Amino acid sequence: MSFRLTYATMYNPPEAMHERFDAAMLRVEADLGGRHPLFVNGADCYTAEYADRRAPFDSDLRLGEFALASPVDADEAMAAAQAAFPAWRATPVAERARLVRRAGDLMEQRVYEIAAALTLEVGKNRMEALGETQETVDFFHHYASDFESHAGYVNPLPDDPIEGIASHNASVMRPYGVWVVIAPFNFPLALAGGPTAAALVTGNTVVLKGASDTPWAGRLLADCIRDAGLPPGVFNYLSGSGRDIGEALVQHPHTAGITFTGSVPVGRQLMQQMVSGAYPRPCIAEMGGKNPCIVTARADLDRAAAGIARSAYGMTGQKCSALSRVYVHESIADALIERLQAQIAAIRIGDPRRREHWLGPVVNASAYTNYLRYADDLRASGARLISGGAQLGTASDGDPALARGYYVEPLLAEAPLAHPLWRQEMFLPILMLHRYGDRDEAMRLANDTPMGLTAGFFGGEDEVAWFHDHIEAGVTYANRPQGATTGAWPGYQPFGGWKGSGSTGKAIASFYYLAQYLREQSRTVVE
C-alpha cells in the first residue's frame, strides 16, 4: 500500500517527503519579509496597520508584516459576504462541490510550501505541519463528497393521504447566510479550513478571522480559495485581535452563524451572545479539553508509554486533544514512569525546521511564562517533578539558538489530587500522573472534569468495553501507541467533545456535521 499521511502514520514517512519539505522550506524562506494583506470581496485589502511577525523558535527570523483589520474592514467583509450570499446559495450543489474540491486540490499541490510556512509561523515540526496541511485538504474533499452524497439534503416525503388531491411534501435543508469562522493559533489552517469548507459547500458565505499569533495560515488558505475561482465575496479573510475584530463580527447584524475553536470562557460567551438578540443563531463551539488516560495493570507498558508521550508532548502540548492527566494502576506505576522517562529523554528539542527535532517551541512569550509559573506552582505545592520543569536557553552556558526561542522541557509530575492544575487546561507540555488502586476510582477521576473532549485507555482487551461504557468523552482511543488521546483524521475518526468541550454534541467530519450549517424547511405543494 502506498504511504498516506495522517497523524497516525506520520512516524515513519518515506525519505522523499523529507526531501520535498526541505526544498520547499528553502523556497519559502527566500520570500520572507513581505507584506501580507487581508482578502475581502475577491481582492487583496491593504490596511493602515500591520503587525511584524517573527518565528516563535527564533526571534531573529522575521516572517513578514501582516495586515491588522479595523472595524471598517470587518464591516466591509460582512457586507461583501451578505451581498454574495443569494447567488452562492442558488449555485447548484454540483458546482459548489466542484469549487470547494478544487480549493482542496490546489492546497494539495502546495502542501509542502504551506507546511513550511506553518513550521515557521507556529513552530510545528515538519510532520505535524505536513499533517495539518493534508488534513485541511481532506476536509475540503470530504465535505464536498459528503454534501453530494446527501443530494444537497433534499428529501422527498410521502404525499398527504387526501383522496383526489396531489399534495406533495419534501424536507429541504437551506443555508443560513453569512457564517463567521474564528480559528485558533494551534491549528490555524485545519481549524479555519475545515469549518470554511463545510460552510461554503452547504451554501453559506464565509468571513474567517485568524488568530493574532498566526495570521499567515489564513492568508494561504485565502489564496487557495481565490485561485479555485470562487466568486468575490463568497469567502473573506481578516486578521486582528479577538477582542476588537472578533467581537465586531459576532455583534454584526449580518452574522447568521459562527464556528469557534478556542477557550471555554470565550466559547461560552459567544454562545450566550448568539442566543440573545431578536432570535437565536447557531454557534458551533469546540472549547478545549482536560484529557485523561487510564492505564490498568494489564496494559502493554511500551505501547502505553509511546502513546502517552506522543499525546502529552506533541506540538508542545498545544492541542485541545493533548493528554494532560494519567491514572496508572499502582502495581505498574513505577515501570510505566521508567518507560516515560526514557521516552522523554529521547525527545530532541530545537529548531523545528530540522528533521531531527521532534519538539519545537511554545507559541509566544505568554505561554513561555505560564510554563515556568505552572512548574513553580507544582513544586511549591508538594508535587514530585519526575522530568522537566525548566525553560531552555536561559542559562549563561545554554544553547544560544534555544535562547532566541520559546523552548521548554517536557514536564512529568506526580501531584496530589487536590492540586488545582488537575482541572485547568494549561495548553503546555505538562503531564500529571496519579497512582490508583481501584479502576472504578480511576474512572471517577478521569470523568471529574467539566470537559470531555478526548480520552485514552491502555489495558486488557476485555477491559476496553468497560472503558467505552463509562468514559465521558467524545473521542476515545484504546491501546493506541500512535497517540493516547490525539490523532483524529477526517474520514477515520470524527472529532468533537462532550460536556463543556463542545456546544452541539456533533463531531467534526462526522455523519452529522454538515447539517449544522443548514436549517430545515418543510415544503408542501398542492397541485
Side-chain angles (χ1 to χ4, degrees):
M1 186 178 79
S2 62
F3 179 80
R4 172 168 168 71
L5 176 63
T6 72
Y7 292 126
T9 66
M10 62 187 283
Y11 299 102
N12 189 28
E15 186 63 27
M17 185 171 289
H18 291 293
E19 295 170 356
R20 291 171 184 169
F21 179 87
D22 288 335
M25 180 61 75
L26 290 175
R27 292 193 295 271
V28 172
E29 287 181 321
D31 288 333
L32 291 179
R35 178 164 281 195
H36 301 266
L38 310 175
F39 183 74
V40 175
N41 201 22
D44 291 343
C45 177
Y46 293 90
T47 61
E49 292 188 64
Y50 287 78
D52 185 74
R53 294 290 306 159
R54 296 175 182 267
F57 57 86
D58 186 347
S59 58
D60 290 345
L61 184 59
R62 183 171 176 270
L63 304 182
E65 293 182 342
F66 294 85
L68 294 174
S70 69
V72 172
D73 297 317
D75 187 64
E76 289 179 355
M78 294 298 291
Q82 180 76 358
F85 174 59
W88 182 245
R89 174 185 59 191
T91 301
V93 169
E95 177 63 6
R96 288 206 305 265
R98 183 190 71 81
L99 289 168
V100 168
R101 193 176 284 111
R102 174 62 177 157
D105 292 342
L106 290 172
M107 198 179 309
E108 192 158 39
Q109 293 172 18
R110 305 170 188 178
V111 66
Y112 288 97
E113 286 77 13
I114 294 174
L118 289 176
T119 291
L120 294 168
E121 181 172 52
V122 188
K124 298 185 177 208
N125 68 38
R126 61 180 59 194
M127 295 310 301
E128 288 274 6
L130 284 165
E132 179 178 357
T133 309
Q134 185 61 49
E135 180 186 22
T136 314
V137 170
D138 284 12
F139 277 132
F140 275 77
H141 290 166
H142 178 82
Y143 290 143
S145 297
D146 189 38
F147 194 62
E148 286 183 311
S149 73
H150 285 94
Y153 288 87
V154 176
N155 292 293
L157 297 170
D159 290 356
D160 285 323
I162 305 174
E163 186 176 350
I165 295 176
S167 180
H168 305 304
N169 302 307
S171 167
V172 180
M173 296 289 275
R174 303 284 286 163
Y176 281 89
V178 179
W179 203 278
V180 171
V181 176
I182 300 176
F185 80 85
N186 59 337
F187 287 87
L189 190 74
L191 293 178
T196 291
L200 290 174
V201 79
T202 50
N204 300 280
T205 54
V206 171
V207 175
L208 164 67
K209 193 201 84 67
S212 299
D213 284 312
T214 52
W216 195 2
R219 179 63 227 205
L220 293 170
L221 174 64
D223 292 345
C224 294
I225 293 174
R226 175 200 63 203
D227 295 346
L230 276 75
V234 169
F235 173 82
N236 307 270
Y237 173 65
L238 304 173
S239 61
S241 76
R243 183 179 62 253
D244 298 326
I245 304 307
E247 186 66 20
L249 296 176
V250 174
Q251 297 288 349
H252 201 280
H254 292 335
T255 298
I258 286 181
T259 299
F260 165 80
T261 308
S263 70
V264 172
V266 175
R268 290 177 66 90
Q269 180 183 6
L270 289 178
M271 291 165 61
Q272 292 170 356
Q273 290 175 296
M274 292 298 285
V275 298
S276 64
Y279 53 84
R281 297 162 294 165
C283 179
I284 303 171
E286 191 270 278
M287 297 174 287
K290 188 65 180 172
N291 308 301
C293 178
I294 296 173
V295 185
T296 76
R298 295 169 56 199
D300 180 325
L301 296 187
D302 291 326
R303 179 182 288 195
I308 289 168
R310 286 168 174 169
S311 284
Y313 305 123
M315 221 192 96
T316 55
Q318 297 175 122
K319 299 181 181 181
C320 53
S321 60
L323 173 62
S324 63
R325 300 180 290 138
V326 169
Y327 302 100
V328 55
H329 192 271
E330 57 194 9
S331 66
I332 48 94
D334 288 335
L336 178 65
I337 289 171
E338 182 179 351
R339 286 166 172 80
L340 286 173
Q341 287 177 299
Q343 289 280 340
I344 293 169
I347 293 173
R348 299 288 299 274
I349 303 172
D351 188 333
R353 293 172 296 183
R354 295 178 58 173
R355 175 177 177 174
E356 65 269 25
H357 291 154
W358 186 70
L359 203 62
V362 295
V363 71
N364 58 29
S366 177
Y368 189 61
T369 300
N370 286 341
Y371 173 89
L372 192 60
R373 177 165 59 86
Y374 293 140
D376 288 344
D377 189 34
L378 284 165
R379 292 187 187 95
S381 59
R384 178 170 74 101
L385 271 61
I386 300 167
S387 295
Q391 297 170 326
L392 297 176
T394 56
S396 58
D397 59 349
D399 185 340
L402 294 180
R404 296 197 300 270
Y406 302 120
Y407 294 99
V408 299
E409 294 177 333
L411 194 160
L412 173 63
E414 189 168 4
L417 289 176
H419 200 290
L421 289 182
W422 280 105
R423 300 179 66 83
Q424 182 175 342
E425 185 181 28
M426 292 174 277
F427 233 61
L428 289 164
I430 298 176
L431 177 63
M432 297 171 68
L433 181 145
H434 172 73
R435 304 166 192 247
Y436 72 87
D438 176 75
R439 76 173 190 178
D440 290 330
E441 174 67 3
M443 182 62 70
R444 185 192 69 78
L445 292 170
N447 288 332
D448 186 21
T449 170
M451 291 181 267
L453 186 55
T454 69
F457 175 80
F458 292 94
E461 290 183 8
D462 58 344
E463 297 177 303
V464 171
W466 166 83
F467 166 69
H468 283 141
D469 287 345
H470 293 88
I471 195 68
E472 297 172 358
V475 187
T476 62
Y477 303 96
N479 296 321
R480 189 171 188 255
Q482 296 84 2
T485 63
T486 56
W489 194 270
Y492 293 89
Q493 295 97 8
F495 185 82
W498 288 13
K499 301 194 293 189
S501 291
S503 65
T504 70
K506 309 296 189 299
I508 294 168
S510 75
F511 302 105
Y512 319 105
Y513 186 70
L514 287 185
Q516 298 175 105
Y517 292 83
L518 298 159
R519 50 187 171 181
E520 187 173 15
Q521 185 176 63
S522 175
R523 295 178 176 179
T524 296
V525 178
V526 178
E527 292 183 358

